[in-house]
Amino acid sequence: MIELILPSVVATEAAYDDRPRPGDRLLPPEREVIATAVAPRQREFTTVRHLARRALRRLGHPDAPILPNRRGVPQWPPGIVGSLTHCAGYRAAAVSPTRLSATVGIDAEPNAALPDGILDAVSLPSERPHLVALAAHRPDVHWDRLLFSAKESVFKAWHPLSHRELDFTEAEITIDPSDGTFAARLLVPGPDLAGHRLTTLTGRWHSTHPLLTTAVHLPSPTAPTT
């Protein structure tokens, strides 16, 4: 699913369960990081790293540990940007060379309503009326959850550029139901990218009955144009 909403310069891998393939293994530093975690966390951590290494091999990169920093953000090999996601029934990884991509962020969520009380915590007052209109247009999509997912993808794309976290109240999301896109207007000063201040991040979304996926990709300023 995630491959449907990312450009071809991004290598993706996905799985719908935690069964390993031949050759999949955690590297010793990764095993150390996850050693004391509960079993479900160990399984999802292991699977997304298997997926990430498969995607990195497609870019010609040798196997290397993909360790989280103190905030849990994956640390990629030099010259690579990437993102990981996992939810019930789906895991995915997306990686790309920095010469082609400035950043990438992905997220997957169940196509189900957010738990009570969560929407107010993760949305802006300006975003909520739009969700009501979207639900009237397409009731098969849980738009509150899609908004949450879009913000997660934005946050994951923002962090490598700014090296700081973005709060749920610091980006205003507008979702287009007709073409599967969304835009995030940054409400805090964005990082400088090749002499231009970043003010907006755009992304794409996809829905099926059980799953929602979102992705943000920003081309590198030095990437060749077609």
Side-chain angles (χ1 to χ4, degrees):
M1 284 179 58
I2 207 72
E3 71 277 3
L4 300 175
I5 52 175
L6 283 166
S8 60
V9 297
V10 182
T12 62
E13 290 284 341
Y16 294 88
D17 57 45
D18 292 315
R19 289 177 292 183
R21 294 182 187 174
D24 282 344
R25 62 190 176 93
L26 279 186
L27 300 179
E30 295 167 332
R31 289 199 296 269
E32 184 177 343
V33 165
I34 205 67
T36 60
V38 297
R41 172 59 180 152
Q42 289 188 358
R43 289 193 295 269
E44 66 191 19
F45 178 97
T46 298
T47 299
V48 293
R49 272 139 185 96
H50 292 165
L51 296 172
R53 268 192 282 279
R54 292 177 208 164
L56 286 167
R57 288 173 201 147
R58 291 167 49 194
L59 300 179
H61 276 258
D63 289 356
I66 302 167
L67 302 175
N69 67 10
R70 62 187 182 88
R71 297 287 191 180
V73 178
Q75 304 303 288
W76 298 101
I80 291 291
V81 291
S83 186
L84 305 174
T85 189
H86 47 78
C87 70
Y90 190 73
R91 286 87 166 85
V95 295
S96 186
T98 53
R99 63 184 176 83
L100 298 176
S101 301
T103 192
V104 61
I106 64 172
D107 188 67
E109 299 287 335
N111 189 3
L114 287 172
D116 289 345
I118 299 299
L119 180 61
D120 286 350
V122 302
S123 66
L124 296 164
S126 59
E127 293 169 327
R128 294 169 205 153
H130 187 47
L131 298 180
V132 175
L134 290 169
H137 176 70
R138 278 194 60 183
D140 59 305
V141 176
H142 287 276
W143 296 100
D144 57 344
R145 183 79 71 161
L146 184 61
L147 175 71
F148 173 80
S149 181
K151 290 200 174 190
E152 286 290 309
S153 286
V154 167
F155 299 164
K156 291 177 184 180
W158 158 274
H159 191 275
L161 300 174
S162 65
H163 304 291
R164 62 172 290 264
E165 294 184 357
L166 193 67
D167 190 79
F168 284 107
T169 62
E170 294 178 331
E172 184 182 52
I173 303 287
T174 303
I175 302 169
D176 191 325
S178 62
D179 65 359
T181 63
F182 63 88
R185 183 171 66 92
L186 300 174
L187 304 180
V188 293
D192 184 89
L193 197 64
H196 298 281
R197 182 69 63 184
L198 188 67
T199 60
T200 304
L201 285 166
T202 59
R204 298 179 64 196
W205 62 270
H206 180 73
S207 70
T208 64
H209 175 65
L211 291 170
L212 301 170
T213 50
T214 58
V216 171
H217 175 261
L218 185 65
S220 169
T222 60
T225 58
T226 57

